[in-house]
Amino acid sequence: MVVALAVGDTVQMRKKHPCGSEMLTVLRVGSDVRIRWLGCHRDLTLERVKLETTTRKVITGGQSDV
């Protein structure tokens, strides 16, 4: 499943983070994606493939790369 991501998008994950939030925002896009949890504001970098497999839904609101 290919997920189109842009900076500023909100993503809903399949599982909840220990802070209780399942929503995060995209900070940087590339082969690795930097994300920040909306509950605890912790940020981390994941491989794009790993993020795409654990994503339930993408709520667009970011900048397009056009």
Side-chain angles (χ1 to χ4, degrees):
M1 179 172 123
V2 177
V3 178
L5 293 171
V7 175
D9 283 352
T10 302
V11 178
Q12 181 180 11
M13 303 298 281
R14 293 184 190 272
K15 291 185 176 181
K16 289 187 177 182
H17 189 255
C19 71
S21 176
E22 60 184 18
M23 303 296 281
L24 53 90
T25 185
V26 178
L27 301 176
R28 187 180 70 83
V29 179
S31 61
D32 293 332
V33 179
R34 187 168 179 202
I35 57 174
R36 176 174 290 149
W37 292 98
L38 296 179
C40 61
H41 301 288
R42 180 168 293 172
D43 62 350
L44 68 138
T45 304
L46 286 176
E47 295 177 2
R48 179 185 281 270
V49 175
K50 177 71 174 174
L51 182 66
E52 288 176 351
T53 59
T54 58
T55 297
R56 176 174 289 162
K57 177 172 59 169
V58 177
I59 303 165
T60 57
Q63 306 163 355
S64 63
D65 294 339
V66 178

